[in-house]
Amino acid sequence: MMRRLRTVSSALLVLSALLVGGAHASAAPPSHVVYDALGDSYASGYGVPPYGACGRSQSAYAVQLDGRQRIALDDFVACAGATTTSMVSGGQLTALDADTDLVTLTVGGNDIGWSQAVTACLGGTDAQCAGTVALVRSRITTALPGLLDAVYAQVAAAAPNAHVVVTGYPRLFSPEYGAYLGASTAEQAALNDGADLLNSTISAAATRHGFQFVDVTKRFVGHGVNSPYAWVLGPFDPGAFHPTVDGYEAYTAAVNSALGPVKLG
């Protein structure tokens, strides 16, 4: 009988130790999320000076995300002017490793010459606008998917344990406010349709690689470059057609909302 009691007593002691240990473990502060930010000028915060290297701004959504939801920005290597290929050749992917928990990436706009279409529609003839928009749309559908697949595969290999978030681009115009410089409302709509095609192509590539796509389009509705409440800088600003401070805050809100605390666990 005594032996049985000692056995039960020992079992209770072990159970008590496990419960205490478990309580201590659950009370421990959560670890931080190691975050690396890659991409082009929309990721670097270009448009809102002052700038660091590569047009990096403190208004960038990566900087604004730092400290939220346990996110700790480790490497901020986004660079204005980056393409899918120059991201690699420029060394952005060296920021990634097995310790990276979260990656954000905005890239693709420079690969298809989107600024050429915008320039043609604002300052060229109707024929030049239509022709350049058609050319850019062709690049989006034929060349961009392969370019995105190539760089996304390298990101996944360089950060095998990371949750990767890919952001899209805003529509630049609000046609409801009328013609803007040389761009009619119809031409603005065509440019916005091109932005939608760009975003859908990026989203499809992200899905193929198991990445999360964050669409910012709805947040910029009514805030195009020709809106009285513009979140996009005008063509005569040094940071033309990049987000304003409010625009980058919209990017931050979109990414932060899309991540959610559960997805970062």
Side-chain angles (χ1 to χ4, degrees), residues 14 22-23 26 33 38 50 123 131 166 178 181 184 200 204 212:
V14 170
S26 63
V33 175
L38 286 62
V166 175
L181 299 179
S184 66
S200 65
Q212 181 180 12

Side-chain angles (χ1 to χ4, degrees), residues 109-110 112-119 136 140 172 190-192 194-195 198:
N110 293 324
I112 47 92
W114 187 240
S115 61
Q116 297 172 15
V118 174
T119 300
V136 168
I140 293 172
L172 298 179
L191 287 166
N192 285 348
L198 173 61

